[in-house]
Amino acid sequence: MAAEGASLSDVRPDCDGIMTGIKVDQSEKAETESLEDEERKGEKRKILDVQCDQDGQTSAQGEERRLGGGTAAEEMMEGEEDEEEEEGETEQPNTDSDEVIKERVQKTKLFVPVEPHQWPIVYSPDYNISFLGFEKLHPFDSGKWGKVYNTLKGEGMIRDETTVRPQEASDDDLLVAHTKKYINSLKWSISVAGITEVPPVAFLPNFIVQRKVLRPLRLQTGGTILAAKLAMERGWAINIGGGFHHCSSKRGGGFCAYADITLALRFLFTLGLVHKAMILDLDAHQGNGHERDFMQQRDSVYILDVYNRHIYPRDGYAKRGISRKVEVNYFIADEEYMTLVASNLEAALNEFVPDILIYNAGTDSLEGDPLGALSISAQGIMKRDMMVFEFARDRKKPIPILMVTSGGYQRNNAEIIAASIRNLWRRKLVTCPEAEEFQAKMAPVSTTPSSQQPSTSQAGATTPSTTEETNANETSQGRGFFSSLRSLCK
């Protein structure tokens, strides 16, 4: 998830290249640099290349070139400013003792009772942000979570009674990962305005900002933490929200005020439910928040990040925390993208066997997204999500998987997310027989047109009824498509 609204180019011009054309200006400026500057940079690259060779990273450089990424030296150059500021610094969750953290986790009220007839799908109507039209000043659709839920509910997959409602993360919950200094900084509206990238928020009283802006994000954060535990219990879970991957333990940004992925894993580690975790980040933007947080824990947290290398946040320092980095260029399309994701996920799971897979399923890679600047079709998004769940479920020992919805900056994102979740359900990649049985007994006749509802046979198999699902079925040739693709990756 990231934020790069054109109206904010004066606030953060380095993040708005796509919207404002700044990248062109930078290119023209680069062409006019003096010969002296070019020679100086050339010498620095040579030195860095030698250092990388000495560190045994030559083969890694070759791999990054193959994937469309830069060399290790170029990445060091790209992140040079951050590294100079943070030399020797690590992104620690906070300074509290393990005992204090454990006590906070044990006292949490986030783990609400979940009935067997409830889907491991987490959502609250209060996820959505709406206040005097301020939300319209940002390109992100701050009501998309409700649209996803209402679509799934309208088409009969879920009901209010079969959906899990989360609790708002308290300060004690947030301090399991965040620093006290960072949490206190959110009591200043100007800080929140910078994080959400909506400048007028700076002029609102902070109690309004807390209630109308931060509370929905705290609810989604609580939802991710709860969904992580549900994934361990049920084998899978979806939070219709969350995925704030630009926020680390001590800094926010890109519309991400709380580090929900980091928090979810800190809770699971503290409870002893997992010892190794993998984060698969397929949002179009680099997930620099959790990369900074787990930079010193690469033996227990493996991060596979596939992102557009040319857009926000371009965090060179955070790249040190990535275990497998796949940097793609503008407007990559379905076939090449799917092959890269499949081959790298297969390789990652061969290198590292996690107890849980946290899937950051951003839809800003969708064709036409003004910020992600990739060209993945709606069917490609559905196929991508299906492939990830297959990788987790089809292994010798299935891997529990948690999906969060993250970024996406078009009005049709909600429709595509809902269609993808329905597709997972229809293909039995996500199941809850108790919920379906409960709904069948109590559901009144739906007012939704029958052409919009999935039909169910006695065996429990469902058939596609929407255009998106039918197209996905025709293009994917069923699950065999991914079996063939995976065989090419082995």
Side-chain angles (χ1 to χ4, degrees):
M1 182 181 293
E4 306 168 78
S7 63
L8 303 176
S9 59
D10 57 334
V11 178
R12 195 182 65 193
D14 61 306
C15 301
D16 295 331
I18 297 170
M19 302 292 290
T20 64
I22 287 176
K23 189 171 183 66
V24 175
D25 295 338
Q26 291 175 339
S27 176
E28 292 174 354
K29 183 179 179 181
E31 291 175 1
T32 60
E33 282 184 341
S34 68
L35 184 59
E36 266 188 339
D37 286 339
E38 289 292 342
E39 291 175 351
R40 176 177 56 81
K41 290 183 178 180
E43 288 299 317
K44 185 177 289 187
R45 289 192 181 94
K46 290 177 183 179
I47 294 171
L48 290 173
D49 277 330
V50 171
Q51 292 175 342
C52 290
D53 289 340
Q54 291 173 344
D55 290 338
Q57 297 180 8
T58 305
S59 60
Q61 292 176 12
E63 177 67 9
E64 291 305 316
R65 290 190 185 98
R66 185 184 68 80
L67 295 174
T71 65
E74 288 169 339
E75 289 159 11
M76 292 172 72
M77 291 283 290
E78 191 172 315
E80 183 180 0
E81 182 177 345
D82 282 339
E83 291 180 19
E84 288 177 354
E85 294 175 357
E86 305 184 62
E87 189 68 34
E89 182 181 342
T90 58
E91 194 96 2
Q92 296 297 335
N94 50 45
T95 57
D96 294 323
S97 66
D98 291 341
E99 289 74 17
V100 171
I101 297 297
K102 186 175 182 180
E103 183 178 1
R104 289 190 179 122
V105 170
Q106 291 174 340
K107 289 184 176 180
T108 187
K109 296 181 180 179
L110 294 177
F111 298 135
V112 299
V114 178
E115 299 295 330
H117 68 263
Q118 290 181 297
W119 292 89
I121 296 177
V122 182
Y123 170 76
S124 167
D126 293 328
Y127 276 11
N128 304 288
I129 300 173
S130 178
F131 178 66
L132 298 177
F134 277 86
E135 69 279 1
K136 296 178 182 178
L137 298 176
H138 191 281
F140 184 75
D141 180 4
S142 59
K144 82 170 185 180
W145 308 290
K147 295 173 185 176
V148 172
Y149 179 79
N150 289 331
T151 300
L152 294 174
K153 180 181 173 182
E155 300 203 357
M157 177 180 171
I158 56 178
R159 292 176 59 100
D160 291 342
E161 299 88 346
T162 58
T163 306
V164 181
R165 294 290 175 89
Q167 296 291 308
E168 177 184 351
S170 67
D171 279 358
D172 271 354
D173 294 324
L174 297 171
L175 288 171
V176 169
H178 286 293
T179 62
K180 293 178 182 177
K181 181 179 179 181
Y182 175 70
I183 296 301
N184 287 335
S185 75
L186 299 179
K187 296 176 182 178
W188 296 89
S189 297
I190 191 169
S191 297
V192 181
I195 291 168
T196 60
E197 300 175 337
V198 181
V201 167
F203 302 101
L204 295 176
N206 191 258
F207 77 91
I208 293 178
V209 174
Q210 293 290 330
R211 185 185 308 165
K212 295 295 185 178
V213 179
L214 293 180
R215 182 174 181 270
L217 302 182
R218 287 194 294 267
L219 271 165
Q220 293 189 46
T221 297
T224 297
I225 296 169
L226 173 59
K229 186 170 182 289
L230 278 174
M232 297 305 298
E233 296 170 352
R234 302 283 193 91
W236 68 275
I238 296 173
N239 181 19
I240 303 179
F244 306 132
H245 65 159
H246 296 309
C247 185
S248 68
S249 63
K250 62 182 183 180
R251 67 182 72 189
F255 207 78
C256 302
Y258 302 108
D260 65 320
I261 292 175
T262 296
L263 280 159
L265 287 181
R266 297 287 186 211
F267 270 79
L268 293 182
F269 282 130
T270 302
L271 290 169
L273 296 177
V274 303
H275 301 286
K276 298 172 69 177
M278 179 178 291
I279 299 172
L280 171 62
D281 197 333
L282 297 187
D283 186 278
H285 299 80
Q286 177 195 352
N288 59 322
H290 50 69
E291 288 161 8
R292 284 172 170 265
D293 284 336
F294 294 112
M295 191 175 295
Q296 304 302 316
Q297 294 178 250
R298 293 181 58 169
D299 56 336
S300 57
V301 179
Y302 187 109
I303 299 175
L304 167 56
D305 198 350
V306 182
Y307 58 91
N308 186 338
R309 63 181 305 200
H310 302 290
I311 61 176
Y312 174 84
R314 295 192 290 272
D315 190 337
Y317 180 80
K319 290 180 184 181
R320 296 175 175 184
I322 306 176
S323 303
R324 179 169 283 266
K325 177 173 72 279
V326 184
E327 296 185 318
V328 300
N329 293 312
Y330 287 131
F331 310 121
I332 186 173
D334 288 12
E335 184 176 355
E336 182 182 0
Y337 177 82
M338 292 292 290
T339 300
L340 281 175
V341 172
S343 60
N344 282 279
L345 182 53
E346 182 75 35
L349 290 172
N350 287 336
E351 293 172 7
F352 186 93
V353 181
D355 300 316
I356 188 172
L357 174 64
I358 296 188
Y359 174 35
N360 197 45
T363 49
D364 49 2
S365 53
L366 185 67
E367 183 177 13
D369 192 282
L371 307 186
L374 303 181
S375 296
I376 312 304
S377 69
Q379 290 73 35
I381 294 291
M382 295 170 65
K383 288 164 60 178
R384 178 199 71 176
D385 294 348
M386 183 168 68
M387 179 180 72
V388 171
F389 272 78
E390 283 189 344
F391 266 96
R393 297 292 299 275
D394 290 349
R395 305 195 78 76
K396 186 175 181 179
K397 181 181 178 182
I399 302 169
I401 180 171
L402 162 62
M403 174 178 165
V404 290
T405 55
S406 202
Y409 306 92
Q410 299 183 82
R411 294 300 171 183
N412 62 340
N413 284 107
E415 177 185 356
I416 292 167
I417 293 168
S420 184
I421 293 174
R422 289 197 310 270
N423 186 54
L424 296 173
W425 169 45
R426 180 170 55 82
R427 295 180 181 279
K428 297 299 179 182
L429 289 167
V430 297
T431 60
C432 184
E434 296 86 352
E436 296 187 61
E437 182 180 351
F438 180 88
Q439 291 174 175
K441 288 179 179 178
M442 69 174 297
V445 177
S446 174
T447 57
T448 306
S450 58
S451 62
Q452 296 272 327
Q453 299 179 33
S455 57
T456 307
S457 68
Q458 291 182 351
T462 57
T463 56
S465 57
T466 65
T467 302
E468 295 91 351
E469 290 171 346
T470 303
N471 288 342
N473 189 40
E474 292 172 352
T475 55
S476 67
Q477 298 287 317
R479 295 178 66 180
F481 171 85
F482 297 107
S483 299
S484 301
L485 190 57
R486 288 178 64 182
S487 66
L488 294 174
C489 304
K490 294 180 179 178

